[in-house]
Amino acid sequence: MRIVFLFVVLLLASCAKKPEPVEISAIKIARDIYGVPHIFAKTDAEVAYGLAWAQCEDQFITLQELMAACKGMLGEIKGKEGLVADFGIKFMGLQEIAKANYERDVTGKFKTYLESFVAGVNAYAKLHPEEVQLDDLFPITGQDVIVGYLLGNLEVSHAGQDLAKIMNGTILKDLNSDVPKGSNGIAISKRKTKDNKTYLAINSHQPLEGWYSWYEAHLVSEEGMNILGGTFAGGICIFHGANEDLAWAHTVNHADFSDVYQLEMNPENNNQYKFDGKWLELKEKKYTSWFKLAGPIKFPISKTIYESKYGPTFKTEQGVFAWSFVVGRSIKMAEQWYEMNKAKNFNEFKKAIAMRGISTLNFVYADKEDNIYFLSNGGFPNRNPKYDWSGILPGNTSETLWGTETVPVDSLPQVLNPKDGWVFNTNNTPYSATDSVSNFKETSLNKLMGYQSKGLENNRSSRFLELISQYDSLSYTDFKRIKYDNQYPSKMTTPKAINLEDLMHLDTSKYPDIADAIAQLTNWNRKSDLENTTAPLFIITWLEIDRIRTEAGRNIRYGTITEEDCVAGIREAKKELLEKYGTLKVPLKKVQRLIRGDVNLPMAGMPDVLAAIYSKEMKDVTYKAFAGESYIELVRFGKNGVEIESVNTYGSSEKPESKYYTSEMKLFATQQLKKMTLNKEEVLKNAVRIYSPMGIKK
């Protein structure tokens, strides 16, 4: 009873409203040999508290930075860099969205769950003041966590690119200007597997460290929760993973998740804009954040924006522009993930999707009943087909103003149980998710959503289609081989017909100074295994082309790469390799490394292969992996239940002194997986440590 009393005292001290108390001593956190937290409790709310505690033990710095940004306080921790994030979040109006809708939309059992997570974070901060980066950051609230979810959803929707363009004056809209590193999701029906099991590959490609790096956890309650998968710091449940009945993967989809409007201003009053023939007043909004200069010295900085009927509005030298984004239409994304965590069959999973809380992202799904499913999700408004929504819209008419209705799920691109027994996505077009007969047929309504057009593949999708076509049926070993494939397709197919393929076929006679490098690329097998001696030449060339084009205001992933670009990239790559290594033929293992603390391992992979790795140049002669392959979870459903293997990039902890700081690096770098289980007794039997929050040992 003393423990429960202490918990209540902490809550009264740290929260304006206390959630229902939980029995902390009944929460068990079992750490396995890799440090993954398996959290067991009677209620879902107690599991949420345990997850919060485990995250704080492992990722308290990252969690604090994210919460500070959500509260508009990151500038007090990280100076100028943090201040940019503070104002970005404030300009988006995410705090106002969460505040306006919280009491109405966050209710019932989910509210108890969310606020129990919050209580766990606040209790940890109260008991570990030496780890707190900013004294007035705590207590955090449920609204702060919801802001974090809004921010994460907005980040993957790429809507923030439109805001950035408004702010820096480059307002010409290009929805596809910054494609992320990508993700893979693959589901295979037992009709196509040799062992009569249903397969799912959960294979997100994310930054390897930071706010959106993966954290693996296993959550088990006596109220029907038993799920293992990946979440982020501040995530209150699993974002994608597997329970005993079903599993799903997310990949980022590319569609029109935000719109920009140019307002027609009153020439006699620069605070009035025309709307349906009437002059309306802009609402002025002034935001202040604190800027850390040095040590304890900080001072306030204020910025002013405006608000119109369309949303956040900005006065620029090019005119006055307003911005609407899909993510702001709902704050139920965290609740939808909670319901997906607890779903027991396809109908329950679809019911969770129908909440429409998650405004973006593809779903690749499989279950024990051998259902496989692909959905390119989006919380799209019903847009008026009279207008071109891919460009700048007129901001003077209600005809372009979003209504409250959302396009039904049934109208979104999707495939259920296709004829050939497989669905996939690698951030490619949603109209290429399975065999040609079963693919979703694009409609005029879909065109208003701004999806990539039919036929718009990337190197990963083209390579997957090459590989899957080789199998009438495949084994689990075959499945792993596809997932870990590190080769480009026979013809490189980067979006919008970028001609990177031409890089492989330059005329050596035209460029005698790099003829040897050109010949090497021409004869390359397009693989990026550790012993490959041409992969470094290609990777550095690719990065040089990216740098050249970025400096020129162009982007490597879209538009045409000229022959001049290719030649310049090869020339710089040759120069670098000769200076650093004295030869053009260097094994990839010497160049690309997975590095954390004192651990430094060779790393295979390269940009936009299925086992993708993106690396950046270090001060020594190596390149450090920083994004791409990260959390991997492979799931099989069969007559004996669910089988799970997984691996995370580094380990569960971001603390250098922890033994879990690098506990999974060797597995990850050697493309091995660890066996995982949803069985409570097995977990507890093999756990290396079992304890309760606040350090109470069991």
Side-chain angles (χ1 to χ4, degrees):
M1 291 301 296
R2 183 182 66 83
I3 300 167
V4 175
F5 176 76
L6 175 59
F7 171 62
V8 173
V9 169
L10 287 170
L11 289 181
L12 289 173
S14 62
C15 301
K17 293 182 180 180
K18 70 170 185 177
E20 298 176 14
V22 298
E23 185 69 39
I24 298 173
S25 62
I27 302 170
K28 292 182 180 179
I29 302 174
R31 296 279 184 172
D32 64 25
I33 60 172
Y34 295 100
V36 176
H38 302 254
I39 299 160
F40 304 99
K42 182 177 180 180
T43 68
D44 291 349
E46 289 168 344
V47 167
Y49 188 100
L51 175 62
W53 192 269
Q55 282 190 22
C56 289
E57 288 180 315
D58 294 330
Q59 296 192 313
F60 197 42
I61 291 176
T62 298
L63 191 150
Q64 287 182 82
E65 287 182 0
L66 177 60
M67 288 296 100
C70 292
K71 292 166 77 80
M73 302 169 69
L74 191 59
E76 298 180 57
I77 296 175
K78 304 199 76 171
K80 182 178 180 180
E81 177 187 349
L83 198 66
V84 171
D86 288 344
F87 279 118
I89 289 170
K90 289 177 178 179
F91 288 171
M92 294 172 194
L94 301 186
Q95 295 165 333
E96 289 100 323
I97 292 170
K99 182 178 180 180
N101 297 288
Y102 189 83
E103 291 303 323
R104 183 194 67 195
D105 290 345
V106 180
T107 60
K109 192 173 182 64
F110 172 71
K111 184 174 185 179
T112 302
Y113 182 90
L114 166 61
E115 296 191 346
S116 182
F117 179 92
V118 168
V121 173
N122 288 333
Y124 184 92
K126 191 78 174 179
L127 289 175
H128 298 84
E130 74 283 358
E131 296 184 42
V132 173
Q133 294 186 285
L134 191 64
D135 290 339
D136 52 353
L137 176 60
F138 295 96
I140 66 165
T141 68
Q143 289 183 29
D144 297 329
V145 173
I146 294 298
V147 172
Y149 272 78
L150 288 166
L151 177 63
N153 272 239
L154 197 143
E155 174 76 13
V156 297
S157 79
H158 311 232
Q161 294 173 13
D162 283 342
L163 174 61
K165 290 169 188 169
I166 293 172
M167 298 305 295
N168 68 21
T170 58
I171 193 57
L172 292 178
K173 195 169 183 183
D174 176 6
L175 291 172
N176 295 312
S177 65
D178 185 21
V179 177
K181 303 304 179 278
S183 300
N184 305 328
I186 305 168
I188 310 289
S189 166
K190 66 182 181 181
R191 302 192 311 275
K192 197 175 176 66
T193 62
K194 292 181 178 179
D195 57 7
N196 200 38
K197 295 178 181 179
T198 307
Y199 301 165
L200 179 71
I202 301 169
N203 186 202
S204 175
H205 296 169
Q206 290 287 126
L208 303 187
E209 296 183 276
W211 292 2
Y212 302 119
S213 59
W214 287 106
Y215 182 78
E216 185 176 27
H218 178 202
L219 313 179
V220 187
S221 80
E222 295 177 20
E223 295 182 324
M225 179 179 284
N226 187 1
I227 186 164
L228 171 75
T231 187
F232 298 148
I236 66 174
C237 54
I238 299 303
F239 291 159
H240 59 187
N243 63 32
E244 295 164 306
D245 303 294
L246 56 84
W248 74 96
H250 283 308
T251 65
V252 171
N253 54 352
H254 302 296
D256 191 352
F257 293 116
S258 105
D259 288 318
V260 176
Y261 306 82
Q262 183 162 17
L263 303 190
E264 181 181 346
M265 305 305 294
N266 187 342
E268 298 181 359
N269 185 337
N270 64 5
N271 282 330
Q272 290 185 337
Y273 67 102
K274 184 175 285 188
F275 184 80
D276 285 347
K278 298 179 180 179
W279 294 113
L280 303 181
E281 290 285 336
L282 290 173
K283 179 181 178 181
E284 185 174 301
K285 304 180 80 170
K286 186 175 182 179
Y287 296 106
T288 300
S289 283
W290 289 85
F291 174 64
K292 176 183 177 180
L293 186 61
I297 301 174
K298 59 183 180 180
F299 56 89
I301 294 180
S302 297
K303 300 284 186 182
T304 299
I305 67 166
Y306 301 86
E307 185 176 311
S308 66
K309 281 184 171 291
Y310 299 96
T313 301
F314 306 86
K315 294 180 178 180
T316 76
E317 292 182 359
Q318 291 181 300
V320 180
F321 296 91
W323 178 54
S324 294
F325 51 96
V326 165
V327 170
R329 293 165 64 83
S330 173
I331 68 164
K332 283 186 169 289
M333 60 287 293
E335 184 174 1
Q336 180 176 330
W337 265 305
Y338 171 71
E339 294 297 337
M340 287 160 57
N341 278 213
K342 298 195 67 173
K344 298 301 180 186
N345 53 54
F346 184 59
N347 287 337
E348 291 184 8
F349 192 80
K350 285 291 294 287
K351 185 178 179 181
I353 290 174
M355 293 177 66
R356 312 309 300 278
I358 302 172
S359 301
T360 64
L361 296 173
N362 295 310
F363 295 76
V364 180
Y365 167 99
D367 66 28
K368 69 179 183 180
E369 302 299 329
D370 198 39
N371 292 302
I372 60 172
Y373 178 60
F374 164 78
L375 170 68
S376 193
N377 179 59
F380 301 103
N382 280 315
R383 290 172 166 133
N384 190 331
K386 173 180 173 182
Y387 293 89
D388 177 10
W389 293 86
S390 66
I392 307 301
L393 294 151
N396 59 6
T397 171
S398 56
E399 291 186 346
T400 58
L401 186 67
W402 291 358
T404 58
E405 292 185 359
T406 300
V407 173
V409 173
D410 289 347
S411 297
L412 303 176
Q414 58 196 285
V415 176
L416 175 64
N417 296 328
K419 171 180 165 289
D420 280 6
W422 53 271
V423 295
F424 86 108
N425 185 263
T426 65
N427 315 107
N428 58 309
T429 173
Y431 310 118
S432 174
T434 187
D435 61 87
S436 58
V437 174
S438 304
N439 270 319
F440 186 85
K441 305 301 186 292
E442 185 178 22
T443 68
S444 57
L445 178 60
N446 298 141
K447 292 183 185 297
L448 293 176
M449 302 173 191
Y451 284 113
Q452 305 114 301
S453 302
K454 180 180 178 181
L456 191 57
E457 306 293 348
N458 53 40
N459 286 313
R460 286 172 290 123
S461 63
S462 294
R463 179 61 178 164
F464 174 81
L465 291 169
E466 283 182 355
L467 292 170
I468 198 68
S469 67
Q470 299 172 16
Y471 297 96
D472 293 326
S473 64
L474 68 166
S475 67
Y476 187 54
T477 299
D478 298 327
F479 183 62
K480 283 186 172 180
R481 188 179 299 117
I482 291 173
K483 179 263 153 298
Y484 276 117
D485 185 81
N486 62 25
Q487 181 176 344
Y488 284 129
S490 56
K491 183 176 181 180
M492 295 185 74
T493 50
T494 311
K496 288 193 177 178
I498 286 181
N499 55 336
L500 269 177
E501 181 66 28
D502 293 350
L503 183 68
M504 313 299 182
H505 306 288
L506 295 175
D507 184 351
T508 56
S509 65
K510 289 176 63 177
Y511 309 103
D513 64 315
I514 55 171
D516 49 354
I518 292 172
Q520 188 173 330
L521 288 168
T522 301
N523 296 314
W524 182 36
N525 63 7
R526 305 189 181 209
K527 294 182 179 181
S528 53
D529 51 274
L530 292 176
E531 300 298 333
N532 197 287
T533 57
T534 300
L537 173 62
F538 175 83
I539 291 169
I540 298 172
T541 298
W542 191 92
L543 290 172
E544 286 295 336
I545 294 173
D546 193 17
R547 180 188 61 77
I548 291 165
R549 292 171 57 79
T550 299
E551 289 177 357
R554 299 176 291 158
N555 187 283
I556 188 170
R557 300 175 185 90
Y558 291 88
T560 300
I561 291 177
T562 66
E563 184 171 316
E564 181 181 9
D565 292 332
C566 293
V567 170
I570 295 173
R571 193 168 278 139
E572 286 299 316
K574 176 180 177 178
K575 177 182 177 183
E576 179 177 329
L577 286 169
L578 291 178
E579 287 179 351
K580 289 182 175 179
Y581 300 98
T583 177
L584 289 179
K585 294 186 176 182
V586 187
L588 182 58
K589 64 184 179 183
K590 289 188 175 182
V591 177
Q592 186 164 267
R593 313 288 294 188
L594 183 69
I595 304 170
R596 194 180 219 192
D598 296 330
V599 181
N600 188 321
L601 300 170
M603 191 70 226
M606 58 187 169
D608 205 24
V609 293
L610 286 166
I613 286 293
Y614 296 76
S615 55
K616 57 186 177 183
E617 188 174 7
M618 302 300 289
K619 291 182 179 179
D620 60 9
V621 297
T622 63
Y623 281 71
K624 178 183 177 180
F626 73 92
E629 289 273 89
S630 47
Y631 179 65
I632 300 165
E633 185 174 0
L634 301 188
V635 184
R636 286 181 287 173
F637 292 102
K639 62 182 181 180
N640 295 322
V642 60
E643 301 168 80
I644 302 172
E645 294 184 296
S646 72
V647 70
N648 209 352
T649 312
Y650 297 117
S652 64
S653 179
E654 68 180 8
K655 297 178 178 179
E657 67 273 17
S658 170
K659 63 182 178 181
Y660 304 129
Y661 186 60
T662 59
S663 57
E664 296 188 52
M665 283 182 68
K666 187 174 181 180
L667 287 178
F668 184 81
T670 56
Q671 298 186 341
Q672 297 181 67
L673 301 165
K674 61 187 190 295
K675 298 280 187 183
M676 301 297 285
T677 180
L678 299 179
N679 184 281
K680 178 179 179 179
E681 289 70 28
E682 188 176 343
V683 170
L684 294 176
K685 176 183 176 182
N686 296 311
V688 297
R689 184 185 175 212
I690 302 172
Y691 60 101
S692 293
M694 299 187 187
I696 308 300
K697 293 187 177 181
K698 302 300 295 179

